[in-house]
Amino acid sequence: MKILKSILINCQKSTLLSTKAMEEPLRISEKLQQQIHFLLCKPCKYFSDQVHMIHDRLKSLQRHSGVNFSSEKKQDLQEKINTFQ
């Protein structure tokens, strides 16, 4: 039963892993947890797909537009994003 609890995650944890995966590679155990969760929860799979698509498009837009934010501007934007969480 403990093994099952360590493998199964809730939607909140799945969401955190989806956003974490954009910044750094997930550990193998995290990938496994998320894939199992996606088999059981289609809305989380859809959320993850959408978040990654938006992230990829924003990166592409940044590369093609030549817009680069200073580290101060990035910090300011991050603080604004954090207020919504």
Side-chain angles (χ1 to χ4, degrees), residues 1-10 13 33:
M1 192 63 156
K2 287 183 182 182
I3 294 172
L4 188 58
K5 283 187 177 184
S6 69
I7 293 174
L8 294 178
I9 59 173
N10 61 25
K13 174 86 184 250
Q33 288 174 325

Side-chain angles (χ1 to χ4, degrees), residues 2-78:
K2 287 183 182 182
I3 294 172
L4 188 58
K5 283 187 177 184
S6 69
I7 293 174
L8 294 178
I9 59 173
N10 61 25
C11 294
Q12 183 178 10
K13 174 86 184 250
S14 177
T15 301
L16 290 172
L17 290 176
S18 293
T19 55
K20 177 183 175 183
M22 290 185 295
E23 301 299 322
E24 62 188 69
L26 296 178
R27 296 186 323 249
I28 292 173
S29 61
E30 292 171 326
K31 287 180 184 180
L32 178 62
Q33 288 174 325
Q34 193 169 48
Q35 291 304 313
I36 290 171
H37 185 81
F38 288 164
L39 291 173
L40 303 171
C41 183
K42 297 305 176 198
C44 282
K45 172 70 172 133
Y46 180 75
F47 170 80
S48 181
D49 291 345
Q50 293 298 306
V51 166
H52 284 87
M53 181 200 58
I54 291 168
H55 185 259
D56 291 344
R57 298 246 170 110
L58 287 173
K59 276 184 149 181
S60 176
L61 179 63
Q62 183 182 14
R63 279 193 307 269
H64 290 84
S65 70
V67 174
N68 288 315
F69 294 113
S70 67
S71 53
E72 292 84 21
K73 183 65 176 174
K74 288 179 184 177
Q75 180 66 31
D76 181 51
L77 290 170
Q78 185 62 53

